[in-house]
Amino acid sequence: MHELLLFGQVPQSRHEQVLKILAGVAAMQPRAVLERHLVYKPQREPEEPGSHLRRGGTQAIAMKTKAPATARDLYFSQLVNSLTRDDFDRDADEQAEAFVATGESAADAKWSYQFHETPDTGDRGVLVRLAHNTELLSGDPHSYMVHLGNQYVSEYYLEGHRFVHDNIIVLLHRVLHESGVRPAPGVSPNTALPSFDSLRPLDPSGGYVLEAKIRVQDLNNPNVLDAGIEELKRLKSQMKGCVELNVPDRLLLDTRVKYKPNLGPSAGARPAVAPR
Amino acid sequence: MKYSGLWFVPSPPNTNDGSTRAYNALITSIESRFPSAARLSPWSLTHRLLRSTPPPQSTPTAPPPSYHHILQFTLLSQSRTYCYIQPVPPPTSTSTSQAPPTSAIKPEPLSRASTPQPHPSSSNTNTASSIISIPTSQSDPHTAFLCTQLSPLWSFRQALQIAGGVTYAIGPYHISLGEVRMSRSGAQAGAGAMNTSSPGVVVAVSILYPDVKAEGDGDGEVDSDDEEGFSFRGGGGGGSGENGTQTQSQTKRSAGAGVDLGVAEQRVRAVWEDVRAGLEFGKVEVREVMMGKEKGGDEGEAEKTVRMWCEVLRLRA
């Protein structure tokens, strides 16, 4: 499924005001959102760009002629755990239990697997990217990610409010993290949540990000795509003066794993690649 | 609580309808031997298999592939699809039960670097597997996503479907049969592009202990089975002949209070022997997989069922 996106920035001093304005625009009370995002990347290192072109063919006669393999990118993906403020106050055992996915249906699943691709090139006035979201109903999400071929990299927390205005999902949020904690790559995430007060905003000024998103099932339908873009532009003009919504540089949202050339032992710590 | 064994009867090569004949023969055998068998509601199953793609610069001693199964099974759940990742396939001997997984929150790292060959099934290898479930409505997009966006890691292997499975209830036993159809429609389990060839027939025999939870005391229930007059040949002594499957059960035979799963396995096997007695399937090797015997609650039972079915449906991939 694809997403059409616009972003804006809100300084902390204006957060309350913007929240009230959005509640008026969307005609609904804000819904509190608190999520824990676990970031994973594939265990396999990406190839050197262009190496697939240098790789020659084989001399085997009986092989079917395959199309030259395009270099497929490796992407970061995320596990998202939706939390409430009370989850931070539970004791360690309960939190360890909550680390396993439960839920009867997609609506009350707490864990989901989220994947975003790098946004498309081209200027349509909004950012377009492929997104994929699968709710997990049971099982150990971290173990599934590891077996899928990923390793845990880091985590962050997302705190904010969500509104729905026609087809647009507006999320006014900021990113929090545990300051000073740098997990070693390849370990598993801590099941026990830190105390909520120990989380610090990633942006020291405490600014918020406004994300306006429309989800489109199929990009091949130009009418639907144009209608979505129109709606986002209407929201942009509606919010003019309050929040400036525009299209950021697409490479800021690039989720590909970068190729790191092996410069030798002096290159610094490379993440340990777990053998598959 | 339910303990099951699963048998896969491959269709003989070079025949078009070998599996249909085997399927009909099995149904006739069941209906003639057990006239009181009650037919329960039908079931269906969709199974897709992905295999891990080796890295581009793979050497001949690359580690063996791991398999990602996506199983949608109406007897287990109507609304959930199970995704099961199996790290290293156990050696394909005639009867192997799955190595018990670790369901701890912090999984152990996969230890496959040193041994290109998997360990024999008698020693419990430490290869943890992983099972999650997702809503069935998202199973098609999830499979498509794995095959396209994660194509450097996973590639599509095969898709199987069992459309009109039947289940017979005979006392405490349930016998489920289904004819497997292989679909060539790629990552989607499309009903339209069904191939006419069928790899074979799957028969599942389960014994139910309705009053027993996984840890409960079920001795009373076990005795009453024989009182109902169901006698199956080879119930007691048949188990000792097949040492391959007993390696798992030897360690777990006296698993504390509760149903003796070794006995359950023998009974289930006796039912199968009885059902297939006198039937000829041609020059094929029937593959048997028994449910794992480690303890677990209800969720553990669903996971054991998933593992058992996925092991059978992996076929020769």
Side-chain angles (χ1 to χ4, degrees):
Chain A
M1 162 218 6
H2 293 258
E3 293 177 337
L4 310 175
L5 295 156
L6 280 179
F7 289 90
Q9 281 199 296
V10 176
Q12 184 167 21
S13 53
R14 297 195 49 229
H15 173 238
E16 285 298 318
Q17 184 192 34
V18 171
L19 208 60
K20 290 197 184 76
I21 293 176
L22 283 172
V25 164
M28 62 178 273
Q29 288 301 315
R31 297 273 158 85
V33 166
L34 185 54
E35 287 174 354
R36 182 184 183 193
H37 289 242
L38 303 167
V39 181
Y40 289 83
K41 78 170 195 186
Q43 288 168 357
R44 185 181 299 175
E45 291 293 319
E47 305 172 1
E48 198 183 327
S51 64
H52 69 284
L53 299 166
R54 289 200 287 273
R55 207 174 297 133
T58 66
Q59 302 247 335
I61 300 171
M63 297 265 275
K64 273 196 289 197
T65 46
K66 280 196 194 151
T70 49
R72 293 302 307 240
D73 293 315
L74 296 170
Y75 292 87
F76 284 87
S77 43
Q78 293 187 4
L79 274 184
V80 179
N81 184 14
S82 44
L83 301 165
T84 57
R85 190 71 184 78
D86 298 331
D87 289 326
F88 284 85
D89 300 327
R90 297 226 180 98
D91 58 7
D93 293 334
E94 283 179 1
Q95 285 177 358
E97 276 173 22
F99 206 73
V100 173
T102 50
E104 280 310 309
S105 64
D108 54 35
K110 290 268 189 285
W111 285 90
S112 63
Y113 171 74
Q114 200 179 74
F115 174 84
H116 294 306
E117 209 179 357
T118 311
D120 293 345
T121 56
D123 186 16
R124 294 187 227 232
V126 302
L127 209 66
V128 182
R129 73 175 174 192
L130 177 77
H132 181 86
N133 209 329
T134 305
E135 270 83 21
L136 304 181
L137 295 181
S138 77
D140 184 0
H142 171 73
S143 149
Y144 180 68
M145 292 298 278
V146 168
H147 284 93
L148 211 53
N150 295 308
Q151 57 179 341
Y152 167 71
V153 175
S154 67
E155 61 176 345
Y156 62 91
Y157 295 82
L158 189 134
E159 175 214 22
H161 294 89
R162 185 180 284 136
F163 302 84
V164 178
H165 175 47
D166 286 343
N167 291 314
I168 308 177
I169 304 171
V170 178
L171 184 65
L172 181 64
H173 69 277
R174 66 177 175 173
V175 172
L176 305 170
H177 71 126
E178 271 181 280
S179 53
V181 173
R182 283 284 169 266
V187 300
S188 40
N190 209 353
T191 53
L193 296 171
S195 75
F196 190 70
D197 302 319
S198 69
L199 297 176
R200 294 273 162 269
L202 191 63
D203 177 4
S205 73
Y208 284 75
V209 172
L210 182 72
E211 177 194 281
K213 171 164 76 177
I214 292 189
R215 294 201 286 217
V216 177
Q217 193 66 30
D218 183 16
L219 267 194
N220 292 331
N221 192 344
N223 298 334
V224 171
L225 182 59
D226 289 338
I229 295 177
E230 268 315 303
E231 205 173 321
L232 275 177
K233 288 192 174 152
R234 237 180 301 133
L235 179 72
K236 177 173 169 171
S237 60
Q238 234 178 341
M239 298 294 296
K240 199 181 287 212
C242 170
V243 180
E244 206 45 57
L245 287 172
N246 47 33
V247 179
D249 179 16
R250 64 176 272 268
L251 291 176
L252 292 175
L253 296 168
D254 190 356
T255 53
R256 285 174 295 196
V257 182
K258 301 290 178 291
Y259 168 69
K260 279 205 208 74
N262 195 356
L263 298 170
S266 58
R270 285 189 81 199
V273 177
R276 293 190 63 218
Chain B
M1 195 196 97
K2 191 169 156 177
Y3 184 79
S4 314
L6 202 55
W7 283 265
F8 177 68
V9 180
S11 47
N14 304 326
T15 57
N16 268 343
D17 60 345
S19 67
T20 316
R21 266 190 276 135
Y23 180 69
N24 292 333
L26 284 163
I27 297 222
T28 320
S29 156
I30 293 177
E31 289 186 343
S32 60
R33 274 173 223 274
F34 313 112
S36 62
R39 206 159 166 163
L40 301 177
S41 50
W43 54 273
S44 67
L45 177 152
T46 313
H47 176 260
R48 273 162 287 188
L49 183 63
L50 308 177
R51 194 167 77 156
S52 64
T53 336
Q57 291 100 354
S58 61
T59 60
T61 55
S66 50
Y67 292 96
H68 187 308
H69 304 255
I70 300 171
L71 180 73
Q72 198 173 318
F73 190 18
T74 52
L75 279 185
L76 265 183
S77 163
Q78 293 282 354
S79 58
R80 290 187 194 204
T81 298
Y82 286 89
C83 296
Y84 165 51
I85 304 188
Q86 190 182 11
V88 174
T92 50
S93 49
T94 48
S95 34
T96 52
S97 33
Q98 195 66 34
T102 58
S103 54
I105 300 289
K106 295 212 173 24
E108 295 135 64
L110 299 176
S111 51
R112 279 196 277 134
S114 52
T115 50
Q117 291 299 323
H119 291 142
S121 63
S122 52
S123 67
N124 290 339
T125 59
N126 228 352
T127 54
S129 56
S130 175
I131 298 187
I132 61 156
S133 64
I134 61 179
T136 302
S137 53
Q138 296 180 359
S139 67
D140 276 344
H142 190 68
T143 316
F145 158 73
L146 286 172
C147 294
T148 50
Q149 309 310 117
L150 293 188
S151 63
L153 300 175
W154 298 96
S155 52
F156 178 76
R157 197 77 190 138
Q158 72 186 30
L160 298 174
Q161 192 164 10
I162 300 181
V166 299
T167 308
Y168 288 97
I170 306 165
Y173 298 96
H174 277 191
I175 307 182
S176 306
L177 301 107
E179 204 178 341
V180 180
R181 295 234 160 261
M182 180 166 296
S183 161
R184 297 255 175 112
S185 57
Q188 311 293 331
M194 204 60 63
N195 212 7
T196 49
S197 79
S198 165
V201 179
V202 163
V203 180
V205 181
S206 320
I207 178 169
L208 273 83
Y209 299 106
D211 294 339
V212 177
K213 292 287 174 211
E215 306 84 17
D217 180 20
D219 292 325
E221 205 52 43
V222 168
D223 289 336
S224 71
D225 293 340
D226 292 334
E227 287 166 10
E228 291 189 51
F230 292 109
S231 57
F232 295 102
R233 289 176 287 121
S240 58
E242 288 152 301
N243 286 324
T245 56
Q246 301 298 1
T247 48
Q248 280 282 325
S249 61
Q250 270 160 12
T251 52
K252 309 263 199 269
R253 178 87 49 142
S254 51
V259 174
D260 187 352
L261 293 178
V263 170
E265 183 184 328
Q266 286 173 359
R267 284 165 190 265
V268 160
R269 196 172 285 125
V271 171
W272 164 246
E273 296 296 331
D274 209 28
V275 163
R276 71 163 289 186
L279 293 180
E280 270 308 312
F281 296 131
K283 286 198 184 58
V284 294
E285 191 186 292
V286 176
R287 204 163 160 230
E288 171 191 288
V289 173
M290 285 290 177
M291 208 176 203
K293 294 200 186 59
E294 61 281 350
K295 293 234 253 225
D298 287 332
E299 192 58 48
E301 197 172 298
E303 294 192 354
K304 282 189 271 183
T305 316
V306 169
R307 250 175 252 129
M308 186 179 69
W309 279 89
C310 289
E311 178 58 34
V312 166
L313 293 174
R314 192 164 48 89
L315 298 186
R316 284 185 315 270

